Structure formats: structure tokens, C-alpha cells
Amino acid sequence: MTSPPRRPPTATRPSIDPRIRQRRQSVQRRVGRRRLRVLVGLLAVVVIIGGGLALLHTSLFSARVVTVTGAHAHTGTAEIVAAAGLAHRPLLINVDAGAAAARVNALPFIRTATVARHWPDGVQVTVSERVPVAVMAAGSGSWAQVDATGRVLAVAPARPPGLVQLVVNTSAGTVAPGRPGRVLPSAAASGLQVSGTLPLAFSSQVVSVTVAPDRTVDLALNSGLTVVMGTDSDLTVKYQDVASIIAHASLKGMKTIDVTVPGAPTVS
């Protein structure tokens, strides 16, 4: 008969020193406590963030204090606040400063606008306004103010005092200024340049600035004289020529001052 296979001898597990076993158990408990602290900390952070976000969406953090700073004589405070989207006290967290500033910048008279949030409940809008340099006939007896960039600032039934009239002629006819916020075409550039740089020496005598289809410029003075400026180049020298002739030359019977050649004016 075949004898049954022998079983391998059972290995005897070495005994562990009780002190080592105790140390292992202590390490495991410390690791467990550390993991628990991490989990509790993460849970606390989640609760704090969630609570903070919830708090930010309450009226405590709405735009309750809105201030508008900077000179804005032609644009009302309420108009600026409304354009910025702040009239109904939105939540501060929902205020997009860049978008709000862009909407304020779109107002015809506004040149620059910045919007800044001030926690917990404030928003500051800082603006500066454009400066009109000329008026244009806008039809139906109304007048439009324009700045040096050609932007139409306002249209009113009465002509504003102290501004020269700008007339821009093209091959297609006389340019109409359009509604506030519109920008004049490039054909007006030379006239705007002259209107915005007229020197104090004779600017009060200039009644109108007229741009021809070839973009040359003429000035009409309140004395009845016409100043032929030519292009808008070398304006400083041309202005000096005009001022000198007005101040020192005998203009009786004269109708035209021609300064198209800088430094060599003629009177006829």
C-alpha cells in the first residue's frame, strides 16, 4: 500500500515582543487620528466656504452705497448709476466692474469710466467727460456738439455758445452729425483737428470751420475775412501767420488770408 503524503511541518510563527506590538498599535492609532483631523478640517473648510458664499448672496453684501466721482457736468449721476447697472442695488458679487465701466463709457459725454467694488457694500464709479470743440447743424433747427475725436455728444434745439460751427463737405454732400454717440466719418478729421487747436490769439474771431471735399480747411472770421488754411499740416506756423496778420496788417478791403504755404502768407 502507498503511504499517505506527509504534511509539511507547520511553521511556527515567531512571537512578537509585546512592546513592539504596542508601538505598532500606537502608530496606527496616530495615523487614524491624523486622517480624522484632515477629514474634519476639509469638512470645516467646505462648510465655511459654503456658508460664506451663501452670505455673499444676501442683502448684507449688496451695492447699497454707490458713489460717482469725477467731473460730469453734462451727465447726471442717476444716468451714470443706471448705465452701470447699479440702480437696483445688485449683489456685490454679481457686479462685473469691467462690463459696468464699458456701459458707462458708452454714454455720449463720458470719456473714461472705471468701476471698483468696495466690500462689504460699496461701489465707486469714477468718470471724466469729453470736451466739445465744435457744433454742427443737425437739421430741423437743432445743433449737435462734437468733441475732437468726432464723437457726437449731444443734440439740442438751441446752439450752444462759445463753439465754432463745423461744416464738413464731401463729394456726396454735407455730413450730418447724427445722434449722440455716433462718430463722424474720417472726412471730418482735418476740420476737427483745426477746431480743437485754434489758438487764443484769434479763436474768439472764428465763426466757422469748413472742410472741402479735398479735406482742405477754411476759416470764416466774424470780420468777414476768410482764412484759407489748406491741409491740417504745420498748423502752429499757420496759426502764427494768421495771428500776425490780424494784429499788424491793414485788412481794410481785404477778403482772404491765405496761409496754405507755412511762413509765406498772402492777403487779397
Side-chain angles (χ1 to χ4, degrees):
M1 291 180 62
T2 303
S3 60
R6 293 183 180 181
R7 294 182 180 180
T10 303
T12 304
R13 180 178 297 177
S15 61
I16 300 176
D17 189 306
R19 289 174 298 179
I20 296 176
R21 182 182 296 111
Q22 185 177 5
R23 189 176 298 119
R24 287 181 178 177
Q25 292 172 347
S26 177
V27 170
Q28 290 173 351
R29 285 194 295 269
R30 284 200 301 271
V31 171
R33 286 195 295 268
R34 189 179 299 115
R35 289 175 178 171
L36 180 61
R37 285 196 297 269
V38 171
L39 289 174
V40 170
L42 290 174
L43 181 60
V45 170
V46 171
V47 171
I48 291 172
I49 293 175
L53 289 175
L55 189 61
L56 289 176
H57 286 82
T58 67
S59 59
L60 291 174
F61 292 92
S62 62
R64 293 181 293 175
V65 181
V66 179
T67 57
V68 178
T69 59
H72 53 96
H74 299 89
T75 312
T77 297
E79 186 179 4
I80 293 172
V81 172
L86 302 171
H88 301 294
R89 299 182 177 181
L91 296 175
L92 219 59
I93 195 172
N94 292 335
V95 174
D96 184 332
R103 291 193 297 270
V104 175
N105 263 324
L107 295 174
F109 252 102
I110 299 299
R111 182 171 64 89
T112 63
T114 58
V115 176
R117 298 183 297 183
H118 297 289
W119 298 92
D121 60 359
V123 179
Q124 181 176 345
V125 184
T126 304
V127 299
S128 65
E129 283 198 322
R130 297 171 181 269
V131 178
V133 298
V135 295
M136 298 181 72
S140 302
S142 60
W143 294 87
Q145 297 181 58
V146 297
D147 76 346
T149 69
R151 183 166 181 164
V152 180
L153 307 179
V155 177
R159 176 174 175 171
L163 295 173
V164 299
Q165 180 180 357
L166 174 63
V167 180
V168 181
N169 296 310
T170 68
S171 58
T174 301
V175 172
R179 58 180 178 78
R182 181 177 179 266
V183 178
L184 298 178
S186 59
S190 57
L192 291 167
Q193 177 71 8
V194 171
S195 298
T197 58
L198 288 171
L200 291 175
F202 61 88
S203 59
S204 61
Q205 300 179 48
V206 180
V207 177
S208 65
V209 175
T210 301
V211 182
D214 62 0
R215 304 195 180 187
T216 57
V217 180
D218 289 349
L219 309 181
L221 306 186
N222 54 15
S223 62
L225 282 168
T226 296
V227 178
V228 181
M229 298 290 294
T231 67
D232 60 354
S233 63
D234 299 307
L235 286 179
T236 300
V237 178
K238 292 177 180 179
Y239 290 152
Q240 291 172 350
D241 291 341
V242 174
S244 178
I245 290 172
I246 292 176
H248 303 108
S250 174
L251 299 175
K252 185 176 180 179
M254 298 294 104
K255 294 184 178 181
T256 303
I257 300 173
D258 189 330
V259 292
T260 55
V261 180
T266 61
V267 178
S268 60

Short mmCIF file of all heavy atoms in Angstrom, two decimals, residues 147-220:
data_model
loop_
_atom_site.label_atom_id
_atom_site.label_comp_id
_atom_site.label_asym_id
_atom_site.label_seq_id
_atom_site.Cartn_x
_atom_site.Cartn_y
_atom_site.Cartn_z
N ASP A 147 -16.83 116.36 -30.10
CA ASP A 147 -15.51 116.54 -29.49
C ASP A 147 -14.42 116.36 -30.53
O ASP A 147 -14.70 116.17 -31.72
CB ASP A 147 -15.34 115.61 -28.28
CG ASP A 147 -15.06 114.17 -28.70
OD1 ASP A 147 -15.26 113.82 -29.89
OD2 ASP A 147 -14.67 113.36 -27.83
N ALA A 148 -13.16 116.42 -30.10
CA ALA A 148 -12.04 116.39 -31.03
C ALA A 148 -11.91 115.06 -31.76
O ALA A 148 -11.26 114.98 -32.81
CB ALA A 148 -10.74 116.71 -30.30
N THR A 149 -12.52 114.00 -31.23
CA THR A 149 -12.47 112.70 -31.91
C THR A 149 -13.59 112.53 -32.92
O THR A 149 -13.65 111.52 -33.62
CB THR A 149 -12.55 111.56 -30.89
OG1 THR A 149 -13.87 111.51 -30.32
CG2 THR A 149 -11.52 111.72 -29.78
N GLY A 150 -14.51 113.51 -32.96
CA GLY A 150 -15.65 113.41 -33.87
C GLY A 150 -16.87 112.75 -33.26
O GLY A 150 -17.86 112.51 -33.96
N ARG A 151 -16.84 112.48 -31.98
CA ARG A 151 -17.99 111.87 -31.33
C ARG A 151 -19.07 112.91 -31.11
O ARG A 151 -18.80 114.01 -30.61
CB ARG A 151 -17.59 111.24 -30.01
CG ARG A 151 -18.73 110.52 -29.31
CD ARG A 151 -18.20 109.65 -28.21
NE ARG A 151 -19.25 108.92 -27.52
CZ ARG A 151 -19.03 107.88 -26.73
NH1 ARG A 151 -17.79 107.45 -26.55
NH2 ARG A 151 -20.01 107.27 -26.13
N VAL A 152 -20.29 112.56 -31.45
CA VAL A 152 -21.43 113.45 -31.22
C VAL A 152 -21.82 113.31 -29.75
O VAL A 152 -22.16 112.23 -29.28
CB VAL A 152 -22.61 113.09 -32.14
CG1 VAL A 152 -23.79 114.03 -31.87
CG2 VAL A 152 -22.20 113.16 -33.60
N LEU A 153 -21.79 114.44 -29.03
CA LEU A 153 -22.01 114.41 -27.59
C LEU A 153 -23.45 114.68 -27.21
O LEU A 153 -23.97 114.08 -26.26
CB LEU A 153 -21.09 115.43 -26.91
CG LEU A 153 -19.60 115.32 -27.24
CD1 LEU A 153 -18.82 116.41 -26.51
CD2 LEU A 153 -19.07 113.94 -26.88
N ALA A 154 -24.08 115.59 -27.91
CA ALA A 154 -25.46 115.95 -27.57
C ALA A 154 -26.08 116.69 -28.75
O ALA A 154 -25.38 117.31 -29.55
CB ALA A 154 -25.50 116.82 -26.31
N VAL A 155 -27.39 116.62 -28.84
CA VAL A 155 -28.15 117.37 -29.85
C VAL A 155 -29.19 118.19 -29.11
O VAL A 155 -29.94 117.64 -28.29
CB VAL A 155 -28.81 116.44 -30.88
CG1 VAL A 155 -29.64 117.25 -31.87
CG2 VAL A 155 -27.76 115.62 -31.62
N ALA A 156 -29.23 119.50 -29.36
CA ALA A 156 -30.15 120.39 -28.64
C ALA A 156 -30.79 121.35 -29.63
O ALA A 156 -30.23 121.64 -30.70
CB ALA A 156 -29.40 121.15 -27.55
N PRO A 157 -31.96 121.89 -29.27
CA PRO A 157 -32.64 122.82 -30.19
C PRO A 157 -31.95 124.16 -30.31
O PRO A 157 -32.11 124.85 -31.32
CB PRO A 157 -34.03 122.96 -29.56
CG PRO A 157 -33.86 122.59 -28.13
CD PRO A 157 -32.80 121.56 -28.11
N ALA A 158 -31.19 124.57 -29.29
CA ALA A 158 -30.50 125.86 -29.33
C ALA A 158 -29.00 125.64 -29.54
O ALA A 158 -28.43 124.66 -29.04
CB ALA A 158 -30.75 126.62 -28.03
N ARG A 159 -28.38 126.59 -30.24
CA ARG A 159 -26.94 126.47 -30.49
C ARG A 159 -26.18 126.82 -29.21
O ARG A 159 -26.36 127.90 -28.64
CB ARG A 159 -26.52 127.40 -31.61
CG ARG A 159 -25.01 127.40 -31.84
CD ARG A 159 -24.62 128.20 -33.06
NE ARG A 159 -23.16 128.27 -33.18
CZ ARG A 159 -22.51 128.76 -34.24
NH1 ARG A 159 -23.21 129.24 -35.27
NH2 ARG A 159 -21.20 128.79 -34.26
N PRO A 160 -25.30 125.94 -28.74
CA PRO A 160 -24.50 126.24 -27.54
C PRO A 160 -23.54 127.39 -27.83
O PRO A 160 -22.93 127.45 -28.90
CB PRO A 160 -23.74 124.93 -27.28
CG PRO A 160 -24.49 123.88 -28.05
CD PRO A 160 -25.06 124.58 -29.23
N PRO A 161 -23.38 128.31 -26.90
CA PRO A 161 -22.47 129.45 -27.13
C PRO A 161 -21.01 129.03 -26.98
O PRO A 161 -20.68 128.04 -26.34
CB PRO A 161 -22.86 130.43 -26.02
CG PRO A 161 -23.38 129.55 -24.91
CD PRO A 161 -24.06 128.40 -25.59
N GLY A 162 -20.14 129.82 -27.61
CA GLY A 162 -18.70 129.65 -27.40
C GLY A 162 -18.04 128.59 -28.24
O GLY A 162 -16.85 128.32 -28.05
N LEU A 163 -18.76 127.97 -29.17
CA LEU A 163 -18.18 126.93 -30.01
C LEU A 163 -18.30 127.31 -31.47
O LEU A 163 -19.32 127.85 -31.91
CB LEU A 163 -18.88 125.58 -29.77
CG LEU A 163 -18.75 124.96 -28.38
CD1 LEU A 163 -19.64 123.73 -28.26
CD2 LEU A 163 -17.30 124.59 -28.09
N VAL A 164 -17.23 127.01 -32.25
CA VAL A 164 -17.28 127.30 -33.69
C VAL A 164 -18.19 126.28 -34.37
O VAL A 164 -18.38 125.16 -33.89
CB VAL A 164 -15.87 127.25 -34.30
CG1 VAL A 164 -14.97 128.28 -33.67
CG2 VAL A 164 -15.28 125.86 -34.19
N GLN A 165 -18.71 126.69 -35.52
CA GLN A 165 -19.51 125.75 -36.31
C GLN A 165 -18.61 124.99 -37.26
O GLN A 165 -17.76 125.57 -37.94
CB GLN A 165 -20.58 126.49 -37.11
CG GLN A 165 -21.44 125.54 -37.97
CD GLN A 165 -22.50 126.27 -38.76
OE1 GLN A 165 -22.65 127.49 -38.66
NE2 GLN A 165 -23.24 125.53 -39.58
N LEU A 166 -18.77 123.68 -37.27
CA LEU A 166 -18.01 122.82 -38.17
C LEU A 166 -18.91 122.38 -39.31
O LEU A 166 -20.02 121.87 -39.08
CB LEU A 166 -17.48 121.59 -37.43
CG LEU A 166 -16.78 120.52 -38.27
CD1 LEU A 166 -15.52 121.08 -38.93
CD2 LEU A 166 -16.45 119.29 -37.42
N VAL A 167 -18.44 122.60 -40.55
CA VAL A 167 -19.17 122.17 -41.75
C VAL A 167 -18.25 121.24 -42.53
O VAL A 167 -17.12 121.62 -42.86
CB VAL A 167 -19.59 123.37 -42.62
CG1 VAL A 167 -20.35 122.86 -43.85
CG2 VAL A 167 -20.43 124.35 -41.83
N VAL A 168 -18.70 120.03 -42.79
CA VAL A 168 -17.89 119.04 -43.49
C VAL A 168 -18.57 118.70 -44.81
O VAL A 168 -19.67 118.13 -44.83
CB VAL A 168 -17.70 117.77 -42.65
CG1 VAL A 168 -16.83 116.76 -43.39
CG2 VAL A 168 -17.09 118.10 -41.29
N ASN A 169 -17.90 119.05 -45.89
CA ASN A 169 -18.43 118.76 -47.23
C ASN A 169 -17.66 117.60 -47.85
O ASN A 169 -16.43 117.52 -47.76
CB ASN A 169 -18.30 119.99 -48.12
CG ASN A 169 -19.13 121.16 -47.62
OD1 ASN A 169 -20.32 121.00 -47.34
ND2 ASN A 169 -18.51 122.33 -47.49
N THR A 170 -18.39 116.71 -48.48
CA THR A 170 -17.79 115.59 -49.22
C THR A 170 -18.38 115.58 -50.62
O THR A 170 -19.30 116.34 -50.93
CB THR A 170 -18.07 114.25 -48.54
OG1 THR A 170 -19.47 113.96 -48.64
CG2 THR A 170 -17.67 114.28 -47.07
N SER A 171 -17.86 114.70 -51.45
CA SER A 171 -18.40 114.59 -52.81
C SER A 171 -19.85 114.14 -52.80
O SER A 171 -20.59 114.35 -53.76
CB SER A 171 -17.55 113.61 -53.63
OG SER A 171 -17.52 112.34 -52.98
N ALA A 172 -20.28 113.54 -51.70
CA ALA A 172 -21.67 113.07 -51.59
C ALA A 172 -22.58 114.10 -50.92
O ALA A 172 -23.78 113.86 -50.80
CB ALA A 172 -21.72 111.76 -50.80
N GLY A 173 -22.01 115.22 -50.47
CA GLY A 173 -22.81 116.24 -49.81
C GLY A 173 -22.26 116.60 -48.44
O GLY A 173 -21.16 116.19 -48.06
N THR A 174 -23.05 117.37 -47.71
CA THR A 174 -22.63 117.83 -46.38
C THR A 174 -22.91 116.73 -45.35
O THR A 174 -23.98 116.13 -45.35
CB THR A 174 -23.37 119.12 -45.99
OG1 THR A 174 -23.09 120.12 -46.96
CG2 THR A 174 -22.93 119.61 -44.62
N VAL A 175 -21.94 116.49 -44.48
CA VAL A 175 -22.08 115.44 -43.47
C VAL A 175 -23.04 115.89 -42.38
O VAL A 175 -22.92 117.00 -41.83
CB VAL A 175 -20.70 115.11 -42.86
CG1 VAL A 175 -20.84 114.16 -41.67
CG2 VAL A 175 -19.79 114.53 -43.92
N ALA A 176 -23.99 115.02 -42.06
CA ALA A 176 -24.91 115.27 -40.94
C ALA A 176 -24.35 114.58 -39.69
O ALA A 176 -23.85 113.45 -39.77
CB ALA A 176 -26.30 114.73 -41.25
N PRO A 177 -24.42 115.24 -38.54
CA PRO A 177 -23.77 114.66 -37.35
C PRO A 177 -24.43 113.39 -36.81
O PRO A 177 -23.75 112.54 -36.26
CB PRO A 177 -23.87 115.80 -36.33
CG PRO A 177 -25.03 116.62 -36.78
CD PRO A 177 -25.02 116.55 -38.27
N GLY A 178 -25.73 113.26 -36.95
CA GLY A 178 -26.40 112.07 -36.43
C GLY A 178 -26.68 112.18 -34.94
O GLY A 178 -26.55 113.24 -34.33
N ARG A 179 -27.06 111.06 -34.35
CA ARG A 179 -27.48 111.05 -32.95
C ARG A 179 -26.28 111.01 -32.00
O ARG A 179 -25.17 110.68 -32.40
CB ARG A 179 -28.36 109.83 -32.69
CG ARG A 179 -27.69 108.51 -33.01
CD ARG A 179 -28.61 107.33 -32.75
NE ARG A 179 -27.98 106.07 -33.09
CZ ARG A 179 -27.09 105.44 -32.34
NH1 ARG A 179 -26.72 105.97 -31.19
NH2 ARG A 179 -26.56 104.29 -32.73
N PRO A 180 -26.51 111.34 -30.72
CA PRO A 180 -25.42 111.27 -29.74
C PRO A 180 -24.80 109.87 -29.67
O PRO A 180 -25.51 108.86 -29.72
CB PRO A 180 -26.12 111.64 -28.43
CG PRO A 180 -27.25 112.52 -28.85
CD PRO A 180 -27.73 111.94 -30.15
N GLY A 181 -23.50 109.83 -29.56
CA GLY A 181 -22.77 108.57 -29.53
C GLY A 181 -22.19 108.19 -30.87
O GLY A 181 -21.26 107.38 -30.93
N ARG A 182 -22.72 108.75 -31.94
CA ARG A 182 -22.19 108.47 -33.29
C ARG A 182 -20.86 109.18 -33.46
O ARG A 182 -20.59 110.20 -32.84
CB ARG A 182 -23.18 108.94 -34.34
CG ARG A 182 -22.77 108.68 -35.79
CD ARG A 182 -23.86 109.13 -36.76
NE ARG A 182 -23.46 108.91 -38.15
CZ ARG A 182 -22.89 109.82 -38.91
NH1 ARG A 182 -22.62 111.02 -38.42
NH2 ARG A 182 -22.58 109.55 -40.16
N VAL A 183 -20.01 108.64 -34.32
CA VAL A 183 -18.70 109.25 -34.61
C VAL A 183 -18.68 109.71 -36.07
O VAL A 183 -19.10 108.97 -36.97
CB VAL A 183 -17.56 108.24 -34.36
CG1 VAL A 183 -16.21 108.87 -34.72
CG2 VAL A 183 -17.56 107.81 -32.90
N LEU A 184 -18.23 110.92 -36.29
CA LEU A 184 -18.18 111.48 -37.64
C LEU A 184 -17.22 110.68 -38.51
O LEU A 184 -16.26 110.07 -38.01
CB LEU A 184 -17.72 112.94 -37.59
CG LEU A 184 -18.60 113.92 -36.80
CD1 LEU A 184 -17.97 115.31 -36.82
CD2 LEU A 184 -20.00 113.97 -37.39
N PRO A 185 -17.44 110.67 -39.82
CA PRO A 185 -16.54 109.94 -40.72
C PRO A 185 -15.17 110.60 -40.79
O PRO A 185 -14.97 111.74 -40.35
CB PRO A 185 -17.28 110.01 -42.06
CG PRO A 185 -18.13 111.22 -41.97
CD PRO A 185 -18.56 111.30 -40.53
N SER A 186 -14.22 109.90 -41.37
CA SER A 186 -12.84 110.39 -41.45
C SER A 186 -12.72 111.68 -42.23
O SER A 186 -11.74 112.43 -42.07
CB SER A 186 -11.95 109.32 -42.06
OG SER A 186 -12.40 108.97 -43.38
N ALA A 187 -13.70 111.97 -43.07
CA ALA A 187 -13.67 113.22 -43.85
C ALA A 187 -13.66 114.44 -42.95
O ALA A 187 -13.23 115.53 -43.37
CB ALA A 187 -14.87 113.27 -44.79
N ALA A 188 -14.10 114.29 -41.71
CA ALA A 188 -14.16 115.42 -40.79
C ALA A 188 -12.85 115.63 -40.03
O ALA A 188 -12.73 116.61 -39.27
CB ALA A 188 -15.30 115.21 -39.80
N ALA A 189 -11.88 114.75 -40.20
CA ALA A 189 -10.68 114.75 -39.34
C ALA A 189 -9.94 116.08 -39.36
O ALA A 189 -9.56 116.61 -38.31
CB ALA A 189 -9.75 113.61 -39.75
N SER A 190 -9.70 116.63 -40.55
CA SER A 190 -8.93 117.89 -40.62
C SER A 190 -9.68 119.03 -39.96
O SER A 190 -9.09 119.87 -39.27
CB SER A 190 -8.59 118.22 -42.08
OG SER A 190 -9.79 118.33 -42.85
N GLY A 191 -10.99 119.08 -40.15
CA GLY A 191 -11.79 120.13 -39.51
C GLY A 191 -11.81 120.00 -38.01
O GLY A 191 -11.76 121.01 -37.28
N LEU A 192 -11.87 118.77 -37.50
CA LEU A 192 -11.84 118.54 -36.06
C LEU A 192 -10.48 118.94 -35.49
O LEU A 192 -10.40 119.52 -34.40
CB LEU A 192 -12.13 117.07 -35.77
CG LEU A 192 -13.56 116.61 -36.04
CD1 LEU A 192 -13.64 115.08 -36.02
CD2 LEU A 192 -14.53 117.21 -35.03
N GLN A 193 -9.41 118.62 -36.22
CA GLN A 193 -8.07 118.98 -35.78
C GLN A 193 -7.94 120.50 -35.63
O GLN A 193 -7.41 120.99 -34.62
CB GLN A 193 -7.04 118.45 -36.77
CG GLN A 193 -5.61 118.82 -36.46
CD GLN A 193 -5.04 118.11 -35.25
OE1 GLN A 193 -5.66 117.22 -34.69
NE2 GLN A 193 -3.86 118.54 -34.84
N VAL A 194 -8.44 121.22 -36.61
CA VAL A 194 -8.36 122.69 -36.56
C VAL A 194 -9.28 123.23 -35.46
O VAL A 194 -8.88 124.09 -34.67
CB VAL A 194 -8.71 123.29 -37.93
CG1 VAL A 194 -8.85 124.81 -37.83
CG2 VAL A 194 -7.67 122.91 -38.97
N SER A 195 -10.49 122.72 -35.38
CA SER A 195 -11.45 123.21 -34.38
C SER A 195 -10.93 123.03 -32.96
O SER A 195 -11.17 123.86 -32.09
CB SER A 195 -12.79 122.47 -34.52
OG SER A 195 -13.37 122.71 -35.79
N GLY A 196 -10.21 121.93 -32.74
CA GLY A 196 -9.73 121.63 -31.39
C GLY A 196 -8.42 122.29 -31.03
O GLY A 196 -7.99 122.19 -29.87
N THR A 197 -7.77 122.97 -31.99
CA THR A 197 -6.45 123.55 -31.71
C THR A 197 -6.37 125.05 -32.00
O THR A 197 -5.28 125.62 -31.98
CB THR A 197 -5.36 122.83 -32.52
OG1 THR A 197 -5.67 122.92 -33.93
CG2 THR A 197 -5.26 121.36 -32.12
N LEU A 198 -7.49 125.68 -32.26
CA LEU A 198 -7.46 127.12 -32.55
C LEU A 198 -6.82 127.87 -31.39
O LEU A 198 -7.19 127.67 -30.23
CB LEU A 198 -8.89 127.64 -32.78
CG LEU A 198 -9.56 127.22 -34.09
CD1 LEU A 198 -11.03 127.62 -34.08
CD2 LEU A 198 -8.84 127.83 -35.29
N PRO A 199 -5.87 128.76 -31.67
CA PRO A 199 -5.16 129.47 -30.60
C PRO A 199 -6.00 130.60 -30.01
O PRO A 199 -6.89 131.16 -30.66
CB PRO A 199 -3.93 130.02 -31.31
CG PRO A 199 -4.38 130.24 -32.72
CD PRO A 199 -5.33 129.12 -33.01
N LEU A 200 -5.70 130.94 -28.76
CA LEU A 200 -6.42 132.01 -28.08
C LEU A 200 -6.26 133.34 -28.80
O LEU A 200 -7.11 134.23 -28.67
CB LEU A 200 -5.92 132.13 -26.63
CG LEU A 200 -6.28 130.96 -25.71
CD1 LEU A 200 -5.64 131.16 -24.34
CD2 LEU A 200 -7.79 130.83 -25.57
N ALA A 201 -5.17 133.50 -29.56
CA ALA A 201 -4.90 134.77 -30.21
C ALA A 201 -6.04 135.23 -31.11
O ALA A 201 -6.30 136.43 -31.23
CB ALA A 201 -3.60 134.66 -31.02
N PHE A 202 -6.74 134.29 -31.75
CA PHE A 202 -7.85 134.70 -32.62
C PHE A 202 -9.03 133.72 -32.61
O PHE A 202 -9.96 133.87 -33.42
CB PHE A 202 -7.37 134.90 -34.07
CG PHE A 202 -6.79 133.68 -34.72
CD1 PHE A 202 -7.60 132.78 -35.39
CD2 PHE A 202 -5.43 133.43 -34.67
CE1 PHE A 202 -7.08 131.66 -36.00
CE2 PHE A 202 -4.89 132.30 -35.28
CZ PHE A 202 -5.71 131.42 -35.95
N SER A 203 -9.04 132.72 -31.72
CA SER A 203 -10.13 131.73 -31.74
C SER A 203 -11.50 132.37 -31.53
O SER A 203 -12.49 131.90 -32.11
CB SER A 203 -9.89 130.67 -30.66
OG SER A 203 -9.83 131.28 -29.37
N SER A 204 -11.55 133.45 -30.74
CA SER A 204 -12.86 134.10 -30.50
C SER A 204 -13.40 134.77 -31.75
O SER A 204 -14.59 135.12 -31.81
CB SER A 204 -12.72 135.12 -29.37
OG SER A 204 -11.81 136.14 -29.72
N GLN A 205 -12.54 134.98 -32.77
CA GLN A 205 -12.99 135.62 -34.01
C GLN A 205 -13.46 134.61 -35.05
O GLN A 205 -14.02 135.00 -36.08
CB GLN A 205 -11.85 136.46 -34.59
CG GLN A 205 -11.35 137.56 -33.68
CD GLN A 205 -10.21 138.35 -34.29
OE1 GLN A 205 -10.29 138.77 -35.46
NE2 GLN A 205 -9.13 138.56 -33.55
N VAL A 206 -13.23 133.33 -34.79
CA VAL A 206 -13.58 132.30 -35.77
C VAL A 206 -15.05 131.93 -35.61
O VAL A 206 -15.50 131.51 -34.54
CB VAL A 206 -12.71 131.05 -35.61
CG1 VAL A 206 -13.10 129.98 -36.65
CG2 VAL A 206 -11.23 131.41 -35.75
N VAL A 207 -15.79 132.09 -36.67
CA VAL A 207 -17.23 131.77 -36.66
C VAL A 207 -17.44 130.32 -37.10
O VAL A 207 -18.26 129.60 -36.51
CB VAL A 207 -18.00 132.72 -37.59
CG1 VAL A 207 -19.48 132.33 -37.65
CG2 VAL A 207 -17.84 134.17 -37.13
N SER A 208 -16.73 129.89 -38.12
CA SER A 208 -16.93 128.53 -38.62
C SER A 208 -15.65 127.97 -39.21
O SER A 208 -14.75 128.70 -39.62
CB SER A 208 -18.05 128.49 -39.68
OG SER A 208 -17.67 129.23 -40.82
N VAL A 209 -15.61 126.63 -39.22
CA VAL A 209 -14.52 125.86 -39.84
C VAL A 209 -15.17 124.99 -40.90
O VAL A 209 -16.05 124.18 -40.60
CB VAL A 209 -13.79 124.99 -38.80
CG1 VAL A 209 -12.74 124.12 -39.48
CG2 VAL A 209 -13.16 125.86 -37.71
N THR A 210 -14.74 125.16 -42.15
CA THR A 210 -15.36 124.42 -43.25
C THR A 210 -14.34 123.51 -43.91
O THR A 210 -13.24 123.95 -44.26
CB THR A 210 -15.95 125.40 -44.30
OG1 THR A 210 -16.93 126.23 -43.67
CG2 THR A 210 -16.61 124.62 -45.43
N VAL A 211 -14.72 122.25 -44.07
CA VAL A 211 -13.86 121.27 -44.72
C VAL A 211 -14.39 121.04 -46.14
O VAL A 211 -15.57 120.74 -46.33
CB VAL A 211 -13.85 119.94 -43.95
CG1 VAL A 211 -12.92 118.94 -44.63
CG2 VAL A 211 -13.43 120.16 -42.50
N ALA A 212 -13.50 121.16 -47.12
CA ALA A 212 -13.86 120.93 -48.53
C ALA A 212 -13.76 119.44 -48.84
O ALA A 212 -13.16 118.67 -48.08
CB ALA A 212 -12.94 121.73 -49.44
N PRO A 213 -14.33 119.00 -49.97
CA PRO A 213 -14.24 117.58 -50.34
C PRO A 213 -12.80 117.06 -50.44
O PRO A 213 -12.56 115.87 -50.24
CB PRO A 213 -14.94 117.53 -51.70
CG PRO A 213 -15.95 118.64 -51.62
CD PRO A 213 -15.25 119.74 -50.87
N ASP A 214 -11.83 117.95 -50.73
CA ASP A 214 -10.44 117.52 -50.79
C ASP A 214 -9.78 117.58 -49.41
O ASP A 214 -8.57 117.42 -49.28
CB ASP A 214 -9.64 118.36 -51.79
CG ASP A 214 -9.59 119.84 -51.40
OD1 ASP A 214 -10.18 120.22 -50.36
OD2 ASP A 214 -8.95 120.62 -52.14
N ARG A 215 -10.59 117.85 -48.37
CA ARG A 215 -10.18 117.86 -46.96
C ARG A 215 -9.30 119.04 -46.58
O ARG A 215 -8.65 119.02 -45.55
CB ARG A 215 -9.52 116.54 -46.57
CG ARG A 215 -10.42 115.33 -46.84
CD ARG A 215 -9.97 114.08 -46.16
NE ARG A 215 -10.88 112.97 -46.48
CZ ARG A 215 -10.84 111.77 -45.92
NH1 ARG A 215 -9.93 111.51 -45.00
NH2 ARG A 215 -11.70 110.83 -46.28
N THR A 216 -9.27 120.08 -47.43
CA THR A 216 -8.64 121.32 -47.03
C THR A 216 -9.63 122.12 -46.18
O THR A 216 -10.84 121.87 -46.21
CB THR A 216 -8.19 122.15 -48.24
OG1 THR A 216 -9.33 122.39 -49.08
CG2 THR A 216 -7.11 121.40 -49.02
N VAL A 217 -9.10 123.07 -45.44
CA VAL A 217 -9.91 123.76 -44.44
C VAL A 217 -9.88 125.27 -44.66
O VAL A 217 -8.82 125.85 -44.92
CB VAL A 217 -9.40 123.45 -43.02
CG1 VAL A 217 -10.23 124.17 -41.96
CG2 VAL A 217 -9.41 121.95 -42.77
N ASP A 218 -11.04 125.89 -44.50
CA ASP A 218 -11.17 127.35 -44.50
C ASP A 218 -11.78 127.78 -43.17
O ASP A 218 -12.62 127.07 -42.59
CB ASP A 218 -12.07 127.84 -45.63
CG ASP A 218 -11.44 127.69 -47.00
OD1 ASP A 218 -10.23 127.40 -47.07
OD2 ASP A 218 -12.17 127.84 -48.00
N LEU A 219 -11.38 128.98 -42.70
CA LEU A 219 -11.98 129.58 -41.52
C LEU A 219 -12.75 130.81 -41.93
O LEU A 219 -12.28 131.60 -42.76
CB LEU A 219 -10.90 129.99 -40.50
CG LEU A 219 -9.84 128.95 -40.10
CD1 LEU A 219 -8.90 129.56 -39.07
CD2 LEU A 219 -10.50 127.71 -39.55
N ALA A 220 -13.91 131.02 -41.34
CA ALA A 220 -14.66 132.25 -41.53
C ALA A 220 -14.57 133.07 -40.25
O ALA A 220 -14.90 132.56 -39.17
CB ALA A 220 -16.13 131.95 -41.86
#
